[in-house]
Amino acid sequence: MADPKIADTKPAVLEMAAGTYWYCTCGGSTNQPFCNGAHKGSEFKPEKVDVTEDGKMAFCQCKRSGSQPLCDGSHRNL
Ligand code: FES
């Protein structure tokens, strides 16, 4: 599988409301960290994220985290 694009080299720290979201795994969305359909025609698919309670979340935008969709600090090694 090809490497995803690096959308940004820092996480997106967002106040999330409980609900279902679609995380961009390809790095091509202009609505990071969420899918906007830009992956179409590629081997990537968005990842469903079920947020069970309101709160702050740090989403990976470098797409290199081992804990996607969440940041694990991997952007520091880019
Ligand atoms: S736009 Fe990146 S996974 Fe959909």
Side-chain angles (χ1 to χ4, degrees):
M1 181 180 248
D3 285 340
K5 291 180 194 161
I6 296 171
D8 205 337
T9 54
K10 59 184 182 308
V13 181
L14 303 175
E15 284 291 343
M16 299 296 293
T20 299
Y21 300 87
W22 292 92
Y23 172 73
C24 169
T25 62
C26 75
S29 172
T30 55
N31 186 37
Q32 291 294 328
F34 305 112
C35 175
N36 73 348
H39 63 273
K40 286 191 182 115
S42 77
E43 59 196 307
F44 293 96
K45 296 199 175 358
E47 180 180 331
K48 187 179 180 191
V49 181
D50 288 317
V51 177
T52 55
E53 55 186 58
D54 296 0
K56 194 175 280 189
M57 297 176 73
F59 288 95
C60 171
Q61 298 196 102
C62 74
K63 313 300 177 182
R64 301 300 186 274
S65 171
S67 303
Q68 289 191 45
L70 301 180
C71 173
D72 71 352
S74 292
H75 60 276
R76 294 190 200 107
N77 301 322
L78 296 173

